[in-house]
Amino acid sequence: ETGVTQSPTHLIKTRGQQVTLRCSSQSGHNTVSWYQQALGQGPQFIFQYYREEENGRGNFPPRFSGLQFPNYSSELNVNALELDDSALYLCASSQFTDTQYFGPGTRLTVL
Amino acid sequence: EDKVVQSPLSLVVHEGDTVTLNCSYEVTNFRSLLWYKQEKKAPTFLFMLTSSGIEKKSGRLSSILDKKELFSILNITATQTGDSAVYLCAVGLQGAQKLVFGQGTRLTINP
């Protein structure tokens, strides 16, 4: 059984650029959630996808958007990057339950 | 606003000690409480507690949920240096698909 994987591991961008982060869910899981974790803080919910549809969104602006594909993998897109977007971005998959299994994350640095 | 608060924020103990980590919550429509261990990047699932399962144990780790007083504790006995990590508490909500996380407790075990 393959766990949750994310790519890339690290990313450096400049203000105003756009970024795409990728996540492959654990085998058998149909739900993917994205979280942003700033240094020294707990993860903050961005949004969730269930069977290719957005199924809940946190307090993040529309420049944060996502997709889920038929194989349940997912993308997080962030437009017009700001310095405060620097964080660890975590993807978690589940079988539509509260028990979510996390990937290793993508560390995004915005200069 | 849904809130999860963990205490202490940081704890340093000696190998072999017993530690108790605290998590209190104020949320609408509680459904579950989860504990995760975060060593470097990926939070690793430890326990989920619900109304039908208010006490869990796995080896040296155990957790209880007090739904009346709205808190949970995570106990670790006979601590080892490998227990050093950030421990995250999260709450799942009825009617919402997100987990609301606390800020975490950084536990350091000195040999």
Side-chain angles (χ1 to χ4, degrees):
Chain A
E1 183 178 278
T2 308
V4 180
T5 60
Q6 292 187 242
S7 63
T9 306
H10 297 92
L11 206 49
I12 299 174
K13 292 285 187 178
T14 55
R15 266 190 314 176
Q17 286 190 310
Q18 178 265 341
V19 68
T20 297
L21 311 182
R22 294 179 174 82
C23 171
S24 291
S25 60
Q26 186 167 313
S27 176
H29 287 181
N30 56 16
T31 304
V32 171
S33 303
W34 286 92
Y35 294 82
Q36 180 195 67
Q37 187 176 24
L39 208 58
Q41 301 296 316
Q44 297 290 314
F45 176 74
I46 303 175
F47 43 56
Q48 183 184 83
Y49 280 84
Y50 170 64
R51 292 187 175 178
E52 303 179 59
E53 297 282 334
E54 188 179 287
N55 184 52
R57 188 179 182 93
N59 293 328
F60 282 81
R63 58 189 186 84
F64 285 78
S65 63
L67 282 174
Q68 187 179 31
F69 300 100
N71 66 353
Y72 302 129
S73 66
S74 178
E75 285 183 356
L76 165 65
N77 299 291
V78 187
N79 294 323
L81 284 167
E82 301 177 0
L83 296 179
D84 285 349
D85 296 333
S86 295
L88 179 67
Y89 287 84
L90 294 164
C91 164
S93 75
S94 64
Q95 188 60 20
F96 204 60
T97 67
D98 287 343
T99 307
Q100 299 182 11
Y101 296 90
F102 284 82
T106 294
R107 173 75 62 190
L108 173 64
T109 302
V110 182
L111 303 176
Chain B
E1 184 184 341
D2 299 317
K3 193 163 61 170
V4 178
V5 177
Q6 293 186 243
S7 64
L9 294 181
S10 180
L11 186 58
V12 181
V13 301
H14 291 292
E15 203 168 17
D17 288 351
T18 294
V19 298
T20 298
L21 310 183
N22 303 294
C23 174
S24 64
Y25 59 91
E26 287 181 42
V27 302
T28 53
N29 300 320
F30 172 91
R31 178 166 62 201
S32 63
L33 188 142
L34 297 91
W35 286 96
Y36 287 87
K37 177 183 181 182
Q38 187 175 28
E39 292 180 80
K40 290 185 179 176
K41 284 189 175 180
T44 304
F45 172 73
L46 296 174
F47 298 118
M48 184 173 77
L49 302 116
T50 65
S51 300
S52 58
I54 61 172
E55 186 168 353
K56 292 283 178 76
K57 183 174 170 63
S58 176
R60 296 178 294 104
L61 276 66
S62 63
S63 181
I64 62 169
L65 172 66
D66 188 325
K67 277 199 69 180
K68 183 179 175 186
E69 300 299 329
L70 308 183
F71 77 88
S72 174
I73 62 171
L74 176 66
N75 276 322
I76 308 175
T77 60
T79 52
Q80 303 170 357
T81 54
D83 295 327
S84 295
V86 173
Y87 289 83
L88 294 166
C89 170
V91 172
L93 308 174
Q94 297 279 4
Q97 301 310 321
K98 64 180 181 181
L99 295 179
V100 179
F101 281 86
Q103 68 273 55
T105 293
R106 179 171 294 280
L107 176 63
T108 302
I109 311 296
N110 288 326

